[in-house]
Amino acid sequence: MTPSRRAPDNARRNESTRQAILNAALELVSEVGYAKLSVEGIAARAGAGKQTIYRWWPSKGAVLFDALLALSGGQEGETGELPDTGDLEADLRAVLRATADELNDPRYSEPMRALTVEVLVDPDLAADYQQRLEEPVREMKRRRLRSAQDVGQLSPGVDLDVAVDMIWGPVRSRWLHRDGPLTEEYVDVVVRTALQGLRAPDIPEEALGDQGAGRVDSRGGDGG
Amino acid sequence: MTPSRRAPDNARRNESTRQAILNAALELVSEVGYAKLSVEGIAARAGAGKQTIYRWWPSKGAVLFDALLALSGGQEGETGELPDTGDLEADLRAVLRATADELNDPRYSEPMRALTVEVLVDPDLAADYQQRLEEPVREMKRRRLRSAQDVGQLSPGVDLDVAVDMIWGPVRSRWLHRDGPLTEEYVDVVVRTALQGLRAPDIPEEALGDQGAGRVDSRGGDGG
Amino acid sequence: MTPSRRAPDNARRNESTRQAILNAALELVSEVGYAKLSVEGIAARAGAGKQTIYRWWPSKGAVLFDALLALSGGQEGETGELPDTGDLEADLRAVLRATADELNDPRYSEPMRALTVEVLVDPDLAADYQQRLEEPVREMKRRRLRSAQDVGQLSPGVDLDVAVDMIWGPVRSRWLHRDGPLTEEYVDVVVRTALQGLRAPDIPEEALGDQGAGRVDSRGGDGG
Amino acid sequence: MTPSRRAPDNARRNESTRQAILNAALELVSEVGYAKLSVEGIAARAGAGKQTIYRWWPSKGAVLFDALLALSGGQEGETGELPDTGDLEADLRAVLRATADELNDPRYSEPMRALTVEVLVDPDLAADYQQRLEEPVREMKRRRLRSAQDVGQLSPGVDLDVAVDMIWGPVRSRWLHRDGPLTEEYVDVVVRTALQGLRAPDIPEEALGDQGAGRVDSRGGDGG
DNA sequence: GGTTAATCGAGACGGTACGTCTTGTCTTTGA
DNA sequence: TCAAAGACAAGACGTACCGTCTCGATTAACC
């Protein structure tokens, strides 16, 4: 895109100030929570002027978004791939356990929850989020499921977006709404159930390995 | 509970003022959105004093919660039951279609989204919400699923909370995050998949009745 | 005047806060000068909210005006009279010496200079100043001079506004522009010189040529 | 003066940019008034960088001062002389009528008022103004009055600075404070009245009591 | 039925943060 | 090698709401 007449000139941007602002945003959101996060506070903590923030970001949500992206090291377009060992269930289990670990770490989880909530509320931010994070990630998930269809581990008639919803939806939901703890057992059961259905007879215990019983205590104290 | 020294005396409460405040809150949240909803604005619209609001509600989220409860006509404890015709899949289909209809009506949906988001963010409100709405409803869902287990329509080993997550989670998630439209086809596929699993071979078309193909176009324009 | 719907209700005004604001304004204008005087600073020093200032005054100049009025103890309409011992020159000398004393006291002089300058620059404030201070004082001066005309100490043909300008103009000018020190000697000479000019009998009309009468309508519309 | 280490090298100065800046300052001060005049605005209008202004002028007041000097065509030191036809009153009348004409022209008057006010408020600018404009002009006025003393049109005992104040003070005051219109009649009356006072023979010393001599040292260090 | 205590509309108050504006300095870039 | 362009830290502007706090003026309950 040709830089428009009014758009700030990215080349002149002070990178160290940008870093200071993103760090300040992350620190403050951890310390005081998103509701009490303020542009003034970020600027003060970063030793920056407020105008410098307003020059480059449209809202505090956008600052936090960039801060989290930088934290995940995730470079813009770079999506990567989900693991594909040929065993869909095992791969999904690994992926979701890793996700659960991240979501159980408050340093990452609390800012992430704040951002997620802000995205629900700010349509401009939502568009950005959708384009730069949500859609690439969802496509990555679809690719892994398509590959599973190719090798007959997933019904060929299944809509891949529905499949993504069935597998990742419950975990995201439980995390976001704090419906219960995100344990390894929980994600394992979700993966297995999504793939086999609730109606299916229980898998014999011996087939489960050390993942424990098919029935887990999935509800309990939140701890938070 | 004995009324404490400080608690306001419910008996003296002016009911018409209460109604005016709840109505004003609903109107304003539709007109300007939750972010721009303010206690001052509600008071002005309702022709009430700010103190009158602060006397009876701890936050604007709490006002909105009461407003939505009143809107749903739902009286406090009264839970009701999910339909139980003996056919679990048909019953769930009916329930979720009705839910989808509600969530597709912006008059109900937008304030509801606002409240849901506020609950994610305000722990005090969350506790109230959990106790007065979330838990009773979840128990109602669990009861229906338990009944299905009793008649062998659901695997006996399944954790009922996980089951609730598998069935309602994807729909709630898709609605809240605006991942795609909440069509009848979508909820039907979710119900069927949750019960049968993604791995299962496609159900023969003739068995589906007029619900259409097993594969639906579940993604597309949001419509909202 | 009936209080208009939107005007703040003076009865509810917190008098001690008002005093604190006026004091803070006076202190700050002495300490940092008018240019660096800020509404924020006044509010902070007074322990008041900014809105409280904006509720009651339209500008920092207006605050300072009220502060100086309060300082002079001058109650709104109450004008008082200049001394009238029967000796115009002696009376004027006494009055101007007292004025010079005030203007030589920086505690009064510096805020006064700031206000005077602001009046030159802010038309809204100027109107207020004109009505509440300037005009009543000028009328008081005119009254004293009129009385001198009655007893033959001032030429009957002299325009009283010109006379006021001739007597007080040089002093005000020298003070405001810091053209030199305001000593007793200076004001004495100004009084004597002005009166020698003003005391003289009218020049015969025929000697004036076409410059018109000795008495001109020297006051009137400003013309913008 | 030898250019100090820090002073910009005048030889390298871009004259057309300097002109553009002075013109922009004059235009803007007419359009928006001094209060809303900003260095940014001048730079933008002149197509110059802000730094170019800050390099050559210490403040926006200094820019305006130079702009007005350039407008009056007045070259730095060049003072000129007041007319001297031998008739003091006629000469003063002519000079003050011309002054009044200038002050009645808003194109000149409004920037001039702005500058005058700024001089009252900015000591650095005041020093410059005093040295480059005020004092040379006052000396010019003194010269004319001294010449009048020599031919007996002005009392020999009169302090020339007081005389200048008596003649020009009321006009400057009336203009600056918008006390009334600056008509030909007004300036004529001021001149006549002032001269009648100043022309009079000195009052015998013994009549003055202890107020001291008729001639006072009315000028001197400001002390501030 | 009169007393009395709480609620009500209203809105001032001390605050915090907003998003904008300007200042004066520093940095990059293009001619 | 200079000047335009403009990013930057700083901080005031005037506005919007926050949640608390008086005010009188109704109510409503209890004597």
Side-chain angles (χ1 to χ4, degrees):
Chain A
M1 197 202 296
T2 345
S4 81
R5 194 175 54 75
R6 272 273 40 189
D9 181 354
N10 235 313
R12 296 189 163 216
R13 188 159 187 182
N14 183 333
E15 178 57 22
S16 71
T17 291
R18 182 174 162 272
Q19 283 301 337
I21 289 168
L22 297 184
N23 288 338
L26 282 177
E27 288 169 30
L28 282 171
V29 86
S30 298
E31 292 173 20
V32 303
Y34 186 78
K36 294 199 164 184
L37 182 66
S38 68
V39 173
E40 296 216 333
I42 297 172
R45 171 76 63 108
K50 286 202 293 174
Q51 199 56 248
T52 301
I53 295 181
Y54 283 112
R55 190 167 10 248
W56 301 107
W57 291 276
S59 64
K60 66 176 179 174
V63 177
L64 192 59
F65 182 19
D66 276 13
L68 279 168
L69 268 191
L71 190 66
S72 325
Q75 247 25 45
E76 251 12 40
E78 170 239 311
T79 315
E81 286 306 323
L82 293 189
D84 190 346
T85 64
D87 179 347
L88 177 63
E89 184 164 350
D91 288 350
L92 290 176
R93 217 159 30 216
V95 165
L96 280 172
R97 284 180 175 197
T99 301
D101 283 351
E102 260 186 347
L103 296 179
N104 282 326
D105 176 354
R107 282 179 322 214
Y108 175 82
S109 174
E110 286 313 305
M112 191 63 196
R113 183 192 307 278
L115 175 61
T116 303
V117 165
E118 193 61 11
V119 161
L120 296 176
V121 137
D122 176 344
D124 293 339
L125 184 57
D128 217 40
Y129 184 80
Q130 171 73 21
Q131 184 205 321
R132 289 169 61 200
L133 193 59
E134 184 98 29
E135 183 48 34
V137 167
R138 185 173 271 264
E139 175 56 26
M140 187 175 70
K141 295 171 181 168
R142 274 196 231 100
R143 270 200 303 276
R144 180 62 188 84
L145 295 181
R146 193 150 28 224
S147 144
Q149 277 181 326
D150 293 345
V151 300
Q153 291 188 349
L154 208 59
S155 162
V158 90
D159 181 282
L160 293 181
D161 275 305
V162 175
V164 169
D165 284 0
M166 299 297 302
I167 297 164
W168 278 274
V171 172
R172 174 162 73 162
S173 220
R174 175 171 278 236
W175 167 67
L176 189 58
H177 298 275
R178 309 182 204 256
D179 284 335
L182 274 187
T183 58
E184 292 203 341
E185 287 76 24
Y186 178 75
V187 306
D188 291 353
V189 174
V190 166
V191 168
R192 179 157 34 83
T193 308
L195 293 181
Q196 280 180 198
L198 297 161
R199 198 125 62 184
D202 274 318
I203 292 141
E205 299 246 341
E206 56 270 26
L208 286 172
D210 60 3
Q211 273 97 43
R215 174 148 201 166
V216 298
D217 177 20
S218 66
R219 301 267 299 169
D222 180 287
Chain B
M1 195 201 295
T2 344
S4 79
R5 192 178 52 78
R6 273 271 40 192
D9 181 355
N10 235 313
R12 295 190 166 222
R13 188 161 187 181
N14 182 333
E15 178 59 20
S16 71
T17 291
R18 183 176 161 272
Q19 283 301 334
I21 289 168
L22 298 183
N23 288 338
L26 282 176
E27 288 170 29
L28 282 171
V29 86
S30 299
E31 292 173 21
V32 302
Y34 186 78
K36 295 198 162 183
L37 182 66
S38 68
V39 173
E40 297 218 334
I42 297 171
R45 171 76 64 108
K50 286 203 294 175
Q51 198 55 246
T52 303
I53 295 182
Y54 284 111
R55 189 165 13 244
W56 301 108
W57 292 276
S59 65
K60 65 175 179 174
V63 177
L64 192 59
F65 183 20
D66 276 11
L68 278 167
L69 269 191
L71 190 65
S72 325
Q75 246 26 43
E76 251 12 40
E78 168 241 310
T79 314
E81 285 307 323
L82 292 188
D84 191 347
T85 65
D87 179 347
L88 177 63
E89 184 164 350
D91 288 352
L92 289 176
R93 215 154 36 213
V95 165
L96 280 171
R97 283 179 175 196
T99 301
D101 283 349
E102 259 186 348
L103 296 179
N104 282 325
D105 177 355
R107 284 180 320 216
Y108 176 81
S109 174
E110 287 313 305
M112 191 62 196
R113 183 192 309 278
L115 175 61
T116 304
V117 165
E118 194 60 11
V119 162
L120 296 175
V121 138
D122 176 344
D124 293 340
L125 184 57
D128 217 38
Y129 183 81
Q130 171 74 21
Q131 184 204 321
R132 288 168 60 200
L133 193 59
E134 184 99 26
E135 184 48 34
V137 167
R138 186 175 269 266
E139 175 55 25
M140 184 175 71
K141 294 170 183 171
R142 274 197 229 99
R143 271 200 302 275
R144 179 63 188 84
L145 295 181
R146 192 147 33 219
S147 144
Q149 278 181 324
D150 292 347
V151 299
Q153 292 188 348
L154 207 60
S155 162
V158 88
D159 182 284
L160 292 182
D161 274 305
V162 175
V164 169
D165 284 0
M166 299 298 300
I167 296 163
W168 277 274
V171 171
R172 174 161 73 161
S173 215
R174 173 170 280 235
W175 165 69
L176 189 58
H177 299 275
R178 308 182 207 256
D179 285 335
L182 275 187
T183 59
E184 293 204 339
E185 287 76 23
Y186 178 76
V187 306
D188 290 355
V189 175
V190 166
V191 168
R192 179 156 34 84
T193 309
L195 293 182
Q196 280 180 198
L198 297 161
R199 197 125 63 186
D202 276 318
I203 291 137
E205 299 248 337
E206 57 269 26
L208 286 171
D210 59 3
Q211 273 97 46
R215 173 152 205 164
V216 297
D217 176 22
S218 66
R219 300 267 301 169
D222 182 289
Chain C
M1 197 202 295
T2 345
S4 81
R5 194 176 53 77
R6 272 272 41 186
D9 183 353
N10 235 312
R12 293 185 168 224
R13 189 160 187 181
N14 183 332
E15 179 57 22
S16 71
T17 292
R18 183 175 161 273
Q19 283 301 335
I21 289 168
L22 297 182
N23 288 338
L26 283 176
E27 288 170 28
L28 282 171
V29 86
S30 298
E31 292 173 21
V32 303
Y34 186 78
K36 296 200 162 183
L37 182 67
S38 69
V39 174
E40 296 216 332
I42 297 172
R45 172 75 63 108
K50 284 205 292 176
Q51 202 55 246
T52 302
I53 296 182
Y54 284 111
R55 185 157 26 239
W56 300 107
W57 292 277
S59 64
K60 65 176 178 172
V63 177
L64 193 58
F65 182 19
D66 276 12
L68 278 167
L69 269 190
L71 190 66
S72 324
Q75 246 26 42
E76 252 10 42
E78 170 239 311
T79 315
E81 286 307 321
L82 293 188
D84 190 346
T85 64
D87 180 348
L88 176 63
E89 182 164 350
D91 288 350
L92 289 177
R93 216 155 36 213
V95 165
L96 280 171
R97 285 181 174 193
T99 301
D101 283 350
E102 260 186 347
L103 296 179
N104 282 325
D105 176 355
R107 284 178 321 215
Y108 175 81
S109 175
E110 287 313 304
M112 191 62 197
R113 182 192 308 278
L115 174 61
T116 303
V117 165
E118 193 60 11
V119 162
L120 295 175
V121 138
D122 176 343
D124 293 339
L125 184 57
D128 216 41
Y129 184 80
Q130 171 74 22
Q131 185 205 321
R132 288 169 60 201
L133 192 59
E134 184 99 28
E135 184 48 33
V137 167
R138 186 174 270 264
E139 176 56 26
M140 184 175 71
K141 295 171 181 170
R142 274 196 230 102
R143 271 201 301 275
R144 179 63 188 85
L145 295 181
R146 194 148 31 221
S147 144
Q149 277 181 325
D150 292 345
V151 299
Q153 292 188 348
L154 207 59
S155 162
V158 88
D159 182 283
L160 292 182
D161 274 305
V162 175
V164 169
D165 285 1
M166 299 299 302
I167 296 163
W168 277 273
V171 171
R172 174 162 72 161
S173 216
R174 173 170 279 234
W175 166 68
L176 188 58
H177 300 274
R178 306 182 208 256
D179 284 335
L182 274 187
T183 59
E184 292 204 340
E185 288 76 24
Y186 178 76
V187 306
D188 290 356
V189 176
V190 165
V191 167
R192 178 157 35 83
T193 309
L195 287 187
Q196 274 169 1
L198 296 164
R199 192 134 57 193
D202 274 318
I203 292 140
E205 297 247 337
E206 55 269 28
L208 286 172
D210 58 4
Q211 273 97 46
R215 174 150 202 166
V216 296
D217 176 21
S218 65
R219 301 265 300 166
D222 181 289
Chain D
M1 196 202 294
T2 345
S4 79
R5 192 177 53 76
R6 272 267 40 188
D9 181 354
N10 235 313
R12 295 185 172 232
R13 188 159 187 184
N14 182 331
E15 179 58 21
S16 71
T17 292
R18 182 174 163 274
Q19 283 301 334
I21 289 168
L22 298 183
N23 287 337
L26 281 177
E27 288 169 29
L28 283 170
V29 85
S30 299
E31 292 172 21
V32 304
Y34 187 78
K36 295 198 162 183
L37 182 67
S38 68
V39 173
E40 299 219 332
I42 297 172
R45 172 75 64 108
K50 286 202 298 176
Q51 198 54 244
T52 305
I53 295 181
Y54 282 112
R55 195 169 4 250
W56 299 106
W57 290 275
S59 66
K60 65 176 179 173
V63 177
L64 192 59
F65 183 19
D66 277 11
L68 278 168
L69 268 190
L71 189 66
S72 325
Q75 247 23 45
E76 256 5 44
E78 170 239 313
T79 316
E81 285 308 321
L82 293 188
D84 190 347
T85 64
D87 180 347
L88 176 64
E89 182 164 351
D91 288 351
L92 290 177
R93 214 152 40 210
V95 165
L96 280 172
R97 284 181 175 194
T99 300
D101 283 351
E102 260 187 346
L103 296 179
N104 282 325
D105 176 355
R107 284 180 320 216
Y108 175 82
S109 174
E110 286 313 305
M112 191 63 197
R113 183 192 308 277
L115 175 61
T116 303
V117 164
E118 192 63 11
V119 162
L120 295 174
V121 137
D122 176 344
D124 294 339
L125 183 58
D128 216 41
Y129 183 82
Q130 171 74 21
Q131 184 205 322
R132 287 168 61 200
L133 193 60
E134 184 100 26
E135 184 49 33
V137 167
R138 186 175 270 265
E139 175 55 25
M140 185 176 71
K141 294 170 182 170
R142 275 198 229 98
R143 272 200 301 276
R144 179 64 188 86
L145 295 181
R146 192 147 33 220
S147 145
Q149 278 181 324
D150 293 344
V151 299
Q153 291 188 349
L154 208 59
S155 163
V158 90
D159 182 283
L160 292 182
D161 274 305
V162 174
V164 169
D165 285 2
M166 299 297 303
I167 296 163
W168 278 273
V171 172
R172 176 161 71 163
S173 215
R174 174 171 279 235
W175 166 67
L176 189 58
H177 299 275
R178 307 182 207 254
D179 284 335
L182 275 187
T183 60
E184 293 203 339
E185 288 76 25
Y186 179 76
V187 307
D188 291 355
V189 175
V190 166
V191 168
R192 179 157 35 83
T193 309
L195 288 187
Q196 273 169 0
L198 297 164
R199 195 135 56 194
D202 275 316
I203 291 141
E205 298 246 340
E206 57 270 26
L208 286 172
D210 58 3
Q211 272 96 46
R215 174 150 201 164
V216 296
D217 176 21
S218 66
R219 301 264 300 167
D222 182 289

